[in-house]
Amino acid sequence: MVSVLDVEYVMYRQSDLDRAEAFFTDFGMARAERTERELLMRGCSGQRYCYGAVQSDRPGLEAIALRVADRTQLDEAAKFPEASEVEVIDRPGGGHRVRLTSPDGIPFELVHGIEPVEPREMREALIFNHADKKQRTGAWQRPALEPAAVLRLGHVAILTPDYRTNADWFASRFDMHPSDVLFDGDEANQLGGFFHCGGAKDWTDHHTLALFPAPEAKVHHASFEVQDVDAQFLGNKYQLGKGWRPLWGVGP
């Protein structure tokens, strides 16, 4: 078993890289690198990229990448029967990875050593008043109508017809632990769950991977962390103005 620290990036197969770049630019990312075959997009944090698209006539998931603390973790991961050998990542930023596939056939990568970059600038954080604590009086705050400042990839939600097998695989391969579990009737009848990383010394996100029941195994969504709730709503309004239409949200 290895202990993952966080989710690093998602890679998808896309039939139109120009349209993918246009969408994710309006979404709040910036181009990190682009070749004829591959597009890499980054947020405002120091991660080199958090989303990638590979040119393909068959759109779908290419990989979910999870970061580990050091190279020895990759050497351990390469011993899993479903894992590849340790490979060099042939992209800007370098690093190494081990590829492995979940019991449902979902492609994962464990990665280490991708070189960071300088963070992108964001607007100043907004000052909020609370009922019992007023921090701002008589001063306007008017965030611009612009793409939301995406910081990083936050979590990935996966659908599965076999929750128990895949939850055990998350634990045995990645040292991931349930933060919350969904069950029907008896607590032993588990149907889904939210999993956090066990490898970090500090507190981690409530969940980095989520697993929910469904007839077919596939990725449901990948979520990206933005600067604040104002950025989320204004970013949504900006995207609507650019002609993009949401599947659901923001709001009712």
Side-chain angles (χ1 to χ4, degrees):
M1 178 178 68
V2 300
S3 292
V4 301
L5 301 177
D6 202 354
V7 63
E8 183 78 9
Y9 58 79
V10 285
M11 296 288 295
Y12 286 90
R13 299 186 299 273
Q14 296 277 6
S15 59
D16 188 338
L17 295 189
D18 289 337
R19 186 167 174 79
E21 182 173 359
F23 173 81
F24 281 101
T25 299
D26 291 340
F27 187 71
M29 298 183 193
R31 180 200 286 191
E33 300 289 341
R34 172 96 184 250
T35 66
E36 184 177 340
R37 182 178 178 272
E38 193 171 78
L39 166 70
L40 301 177
M41 302 292 290
R42 61 165 297 193
C44 291
S45 74
Q47 282 182 287
R48 185 167 287 267
Y49 49 92
C50 60
Y51 170 87
V54 179
Q55 180 71 51
S56 175
D57 294 330
R58 297 175 58 251
L61 177 69
E62 181 74 10
I64 301 166
L66 304 168
R67 185 170 71 252
V68 298
D70 53 55
R71 170 61 191 268
T72 62
Q73 296 272 291
L74 295 185
D75 294 333
E76 286 299 311
K79 298 175 183 177
F80 298 143
E82 71 276 24
S84 71
E85 297 180 352
V86 179
E87 306 170 347
V88 173
I89 300 175
D90 187 19
R91 295 191 193 110
H96 292 83
R97 69 183 172 195
V98 170
R99 303 174 189 250
L100 63 169
T101 306
S102 77
D104 276 345
I106 301 295
F108 283 87
E109 296 177 0
L110 294 172
V111 301
H112 170 68
I114 300 174
E115 294 179 359
V117 291
E118 286 295 319
R120 293 168 54 207
E121 289 188 7
M122 298 185 295
R123 62 163 164 78
E124 290 293 325
L126 299 180
I127 300 173
F128 293 97
N129 288 332
H130 302 278
D132 60 347
K133 187 176 182 180
K134 302 297 190 290
Q135 303 178 92
R136 178 177 57 84
T137 56
W140 294 105
Q141 292 189 123
R142 293 290 184 266
L145 180 61
E146 61 186 1
V150 170
L151 277 75
R152 56 186 277 270
L153 174 62
H155 69 257
V156 183
I158 301 168
L159 302 180
T160 177
D162 187 349
Y163 168 77
R164 188 69 269 163
T165 296
N166 287 274
D168 290 345
W169 189 80
F170 284 177
S172 66
R173 296 302 190 258
F174 304 146
D175 189 27
M176 301 200 77
H177 309 282
S179 301
D180 284 298
V181 173
L182 311 177
F183 60 89
D184 184 12
D186 190 286
E187 291 188 18
N189 185 23
Q190 297 182 1
L191 303 178
F194 300 87
F195 295 83
H196 65 268
C197 298
K201 295 180 181 178
D202 299 323
W203 284 92
T204 69
D205 291 337
H206 174 268
H207 59 284
T208 293
L209 296 178
L211 199 58
F212 301 116
E216 179 186 1
K218 60 183 179 180
V219 168
H220 185 270
H221 68 267
S223 288
F224 297 86
E225 183 179 358
V226 298
Q227 186 175 14
D228 54 36
V229 69
D230 288 83
Q232 184 177 24
F233 276 81
L234 287 168
N236 179 69
K237 186 175 181 180
Y238 180 89
Q239 285 188 290
L240 291 173
K242 289 290 188 176
W244 306 106
R245 292 293 177 264
L247 180 62
W248 79 85
V250 176

